[in-house]
Amino acid sequence: MGPFPYFPLAFTKDGTIADQSQFGAVISAAASTVPASAITDLIVISHGWNNDMPEAEALYTSIFIQAGAVLQQQNPACDAVRTRRVAVVGILWPSKKFDDASLIPGGAAAMSDGTAEAMQAVELLSQFLDAPDAAQALARAKVLVPQLSDSIDARDEFGRLLRAFMPHDANDEEPVIDPSLFTLSGDELLRRLSRPVRGGDVGPTSGGAGTFGGGAASMGTASSSGGAAGFGDWFGKVADGARSLANLVTYYQMKNRAGAIGQGGVREVLERIREDRPATGPNALAIHLAGHSFGCRLVTAAAAGPDGAAPLPVNSLVLFQAAFSHYGFALDYDGTHD
């Protein structure tokens, strides 16, 4: 990619290496200490959500063509860098984003009753989970969507089906999900998630998904205009609540997957590289981690490792538009947790 040797490294949704030949190529290249060709710096980069492999590699190609062009500039600051022998490992992991129709004011969702958009959001969740039990349950949920405005039983069943796939450890890092999400009736759950997000409620879970973020204060019963939402308003927005619930579950499933892949398979690869090439000494290898969006969660999880593990010695960490909590680097952010 540009002037740099490139090694793809694909992972399954469970964090295992998809192709052992790719693993072998990475380890062989990183382990070589032949003076004329030994790699001095290994850049490990991860894409974020909604990238398939060709899209991720197109992103990596663009970045490293640009980097190669900068290195050719006659700038004294580049002199030391030009003497380094750099290789790139491109992490490829199965990522999908939630339906973003609800993030576009005046978009398609505003021109319909939202049923089609809600069904699409459920389908995206099913594709992301890619499991037989999820496919069966979410196929049933899609069938229920057109019935939601007319049937409280349909709303209750829909709520049960979708929140079964909400990770129950979503609050382990910080308390952002109101616990009542897991206990409310489906009718009340969709009612609360149907409300439009206020102007200040933006972030990775905006577009309805943020309704359950930030604690009980965001679970109120007032509409965005400040008054109580009437039944007519509610039945017109029930599909919005369904879409928001699907988006919310997809977001946290994706968050978990990025963390699991980073903490699992990627961490194991980097530890294996460190066995051959430590961070210091005559055979030292500089490791640089970079990520975009949920790829930032992936590479930080790889650096941190599983609970109780020592952090991986890395030389730099570059995060583009990181999709994780602003408390991610805080000490004692709530009086108890780092």
Side-chain angles (χ1 to χ4, degrees):
M1 291 188 166
F4 310 113
Y6 170 71
F7 300 91
L9 191 58
F11 291 85
T12 68
K13 65 177 183 176
D14 300 316
T16 58
I17 296 170
D19 185 340
Q20 287 296 320
S21 68
Q22 292 181 345
F23 171 72
V26 169
I27 297 302
S28 177
S32 175
T33 55
V34 177
S37 60
I39 295 170
T40 62
D41 295 76
L42 189 67
I43 299 175
V44 181
I45 188 167
S46 175
H47 63 90
W49 61 17
N50 207 37
N51 288 148
D52 59 21
M53 290 187 183
E55 290 167 338
E57 292 190 317
L59 171 67
Y60 301 158
T61 300
S62 176
I63 289 173
F64 291 106
I65 285 176
Q66 297 286 348
V70 169
L71 288 178
Q72 301 310 310
Q73 296 177 11
Q74 297 304 308
N75 185 329
C78 293
D79 290 346
V81 181
R82 278 192 287 263
T83 66
R84 312 289 291 178
R85 289 181 293 276
V86 178
V88 175
V89 173
I91 302 299
L92 303 167
W93 62 285
S95 65
K96 294 280 186 181
K97 71 175 180 179
F98 57 59
D99 166 52
D100 60 2
S102 58
L103 303 182
I104 307 170
M111 295 183 289
S112 72
D113 65 357
T115 298
E117 291 77 17
M119 294 175 72
Q120 179 189 32
V122 174
E123 177 60 28
L124 287 172
L125 173 59
S126 180
Q127 292 173 9
F128 181 76
L129 293 174
D130 188 27
D133 62 331
Q136 183 176 0
L138 295 174
R140 171 59 182 166
K142 281 179 64 178
V143 170
L144 290 170
V145 171
Q147 307 171 34
L148 295 177
S149 61
D150 298 321
S151 170
I152 191 171
D153 290 337
R155 297 193 288 275
D156 285 340
E157 184 179 0
F158 183 90
R160 287 196 303 272
L161 287 169
L162 264 76
R163 67 182 162 200
F165 298 102
M166 169 62 83
H168 280 261
D169 61 354
N171 281 344
D172 282 1
E173 293 178 2
E174 60 169 323
V176 294
I177 297 295
D178 191 303
S180 64
L181 181 141
F182 297 102
T183 58
L184 288 172
S185 68
D187 177 63
E188 181 62 18
L189 179 65
L190 296 186
R191 182 188 299 271
R192 298 190 187 194
L193 282 170
S194 72
R195 292 189 172 78
V197 176
R198 295 182 297 276
D201 293 342
V202 295
T205 52
S206 60
T211 307
F212 273 81
S218 58
M219 292 284 291
T221 58
S223 70
S224 61
S225 61
F231 284 109
D233 294 334
W234 154 233
F235 288 123
K237 297 171 183 172
V238 63
D240 292 341
R243 183 178 65 248
S244 293
L245 179 57
N247 281 349
L248 187 67
V249 175
T250 303
Y251 178 88
Y252 280 96
Q253 282 285 349
M254 190 175 348
K255 176 183 175 182
N256 272 18
R257 180 176 296 181
I261 292 172
Q263 194 177 72
V266 176
R267 169 69 178 224
E268 291 170 7
V269 171
L270 296 176
E271 287 179 335
R272 176 65 182 81
I273 291 171
R274 277 289 183 234
E275 290 176 8
D276 296 319
R277 303 285 304 278
T280 58
N283 292 327
L285 173 69
I287 293 179
H288 309 278
L289 304 183
H292 171 241
S293 184
F294 267 120
C296 299
R297 178 168 178 78
L298 189 151
V299 297
T300 51
D307 291 343
L312 183 82
V314 298
N315 297 73
S316 70
L317 181 64
V318 180
L319 308 177
F320 305 97
Q321 299 173 317
F324 55 71
S325 170
H326 58 294
Y327 292 126
F329 297 111
L331 294 176
D332 197 26
Y333 78 90
D334 62 352
T336 305
H337 301 94
D338 293 338

